[in-house]
């Protein structure tokens, strides 16, 4: 196996690989003897399967993806006025000595998407993030979704309580056991991604309408995979940036 990849439209992606003028396409054109594929139904399952097979087979053309690739983080650090700020940066570029890394991401866009959802959920000030660094009141303050940290009318202690709630919510996001339920390979089934005691166990498929009152009810239908350092990060990032069908927790 020399290359592993995923796509919503596999045929178009294959044609793109062989039609591009690039070093990767040239290697594929010279070396490919056969192409196989597996339909997963769920993009999250595809991401996890792609990661598993790249780590297992170490394909030559996937050189960059064989390495850990979560360069961006949301981190927490206090500003000069005592407010806790949530900021996005590459890990090696964080300058604040008191910075606390909250979560890692594959791209800056994924980090921004998660940060926006946290701002909305916990009524945080845009000015206390990287998403609005201009002077004066932030956009959320203008529309009534910020209590005035950007204007120093909300005291740091009160604002920081909500930031601490945010940190607690993110840090426990995948502790314990849960099933992420996603669309299946057809309309009569669902994809299930299993997390047990905070560890990724694998994914599988269940017929529509099968009741799930316990995690053990689903595990017989789960294809087991060895956990990699990226597995939970992939699930975290996906849940932060995508709308999933539902998450069942125990």
């Amino acid at each position: 196996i020399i290359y592993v990849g995923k796509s919503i439209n596999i045929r178009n992606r294959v044609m793109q690989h062989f039609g591009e003028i690039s070093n990767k396409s040239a290697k594929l054109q010279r070396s490919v003897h056969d192409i196989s594929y597996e339909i997963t139904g769920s993009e999250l399952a595809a991401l996890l399967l792609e990661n598993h097979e790249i780590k297992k087979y170490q394909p030559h053309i996937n050189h960059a993806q064989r390495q850990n690739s979560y360069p961006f983080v949301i981190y927490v650090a206090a500003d000069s006025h005592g407010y806790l700020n949530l900021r996005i940066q590459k890990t090696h570029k964080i300058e604040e000595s008191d910075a606390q890394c909250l979560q890692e991401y594959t791209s800056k866009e994924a980090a921004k998407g998660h940060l926006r959802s946290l701002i909305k959920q916990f009524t945080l000030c845009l000015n206390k993030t990287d998403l609005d660094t201009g002077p004066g009141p932030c956009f959320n303050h203008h529309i009534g979704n910020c209590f005035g940290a950007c204007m120093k009318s909300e005291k740091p202690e009160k604002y920081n309580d909500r930031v601490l709630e945010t940190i607690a919510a993110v840090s426990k996001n995948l502790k314990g056991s849960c099933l992420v339920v996603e669309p299946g390979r057809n309309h009569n089934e669902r994809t299930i991604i299993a997390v047990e005691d905070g560890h990724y166990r694998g994914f599988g498929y269940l017929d529509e309408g099968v009741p799930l009152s316990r995690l053990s009810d689903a595990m017989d239908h789960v294809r087991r995979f060895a956990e990699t350092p990226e597995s939970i990060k992939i699930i975290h990032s996906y849940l932060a940036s995508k709308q999933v069908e539902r998450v069942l927790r125990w």
Side-chain angles (χ1 to χ4, degrees):
I1 294 176
I2 62 169
Y3 181 71
V4 173
K6 69 160 190 68
S7 180
I8 293 173
N9 188 314
I10 297 173
R11 181 183 185 279
N12 285 354
R13 190 68 180 120
V14 170
M15 297 298 288
Q16 184 181 9
H17 278 315
F18 284 92
E20 289 176 343
I21 300 174
S22 66
N23 289 335
K24 182 169 77 172
S25 291
K27 289 178 183 178
L28 288 169
Q29 292 160 14
R30 288 195 305 268
S31 307
V32 168
H33 172 72
D34 186 41
I35 299 170
S36 62
Y37 67 89
E38 178 176 343
I39 296 173
T40 62
S42 157
E43 185 180 0
L44 176 55
L47 285 163
L48 291 164
L49 181 60
E50 178 189 42
N51 173 67
H52 168 78
E53 294 204 335
I54 289 172
K55 293 296 184 286
K56 179 179 179 180
Y57 296 113
Q58 296 287 298
H60 174 68
I61 299 177
N62 289 99
H63 175 74
Q65 291 163 280
R66 294 196 310 238
Q67 312 304 318
N68 295 347
S69 185
Y70 286 81
F72 289 92
V73 298
I74 292 178
Y75 72 97
V76 186
D79 64 21
S80 58
H81 300 288
Y83 292 93
L84 292 176
N85 287 218
L86 294 178
R87 302 206 175 275
I88 298 169
Q89 186 57 274
K90 286 190 173 181
T91 308
H92 67 280
K93 290 187 176 181
I94 296 175
E95 297 177 353
E96 292 89 344
S97 59
D98 62 341
Q100 174 189 351
C101 289
L102 191 57
Q103 199 168 124
E104 300 167 295
Y105 302 86
T106 55
S107 68
K108 193 170 186 177
E109 290 69 28
K112 282 184 175 180
H114 194 193
L115 184 53
R116 287 191 185 98
S117 69
L118 294 173
I119 290 167
K120 182 177 180 181
Q121 181 180 354
F122 293 95
T123 321
L124 301 179
C125 175
L126 279 170
N127 190 249
K128 301 304 176 186
T129 73
D130 287 324
L131 303 184
D132 183 350
T133 57
C138 71
F139 176 76
N140 277 2
H141 188 267
H142 285 299
I143 62 174
N145 292 334
C146 166
F147 300 131
C150 46
M151 302 296 291
K152 302 184 184 63
S153 57
E154 181 180 26
K155 293 186 179 299
E157 296 79 11
K158 189 173 181 181
Y159 179 78
N160 291 346
D161 283 343
R162 291 200 307 285
V163 178
L164 294 174
E165 287 178 22
T166 306
I167 296 169
V170 172
S171 64
K172 70 180 182 181
N173 194 26
L174 283 178
K175 287 183 179 178
S177 300
C178 70
L179 279 180
V180 181
V181 182
E182 282 270 84
R185 297 162 297 184
N186 57 62
H187 295 302
N188 299 316
E189 71 176 13
R190 289 290 177 266
T191 304
I192 51 173
I193 296 94
V195 175
E196 185 177 34
D197 297 328
H199 296 281
Y200 167 63
R201 298 304 187 197
F203 69 87
Y205 302 95
L206 272 181
D207 290 341
E208 185 70 79
V210 173
L212 291 171
S213 58
R214 298 173 302 174
L215 180 63
S216 57
D217 296 337
M219 292 309 292
D220 288 342
H221 303 273
V222 169
R223 176 180 170 189
R224 300 294 185 118
F225 288 98
E227 187 178 54
T228 69
E230 293 82 14
S231 302
I232 290 295
K233 292 185 178 75
I234 287 171
I235 298 172
H236 263 297
S237 181
Y238 190 87
L239 293 178
S241 58
K242 303 282 186 177
Q243 183 68 43
V244 299
E245 190 167 297
R246 63 185 184 275
V247 179
L248 305 176
R249 300 181 185 275
W250 288 275

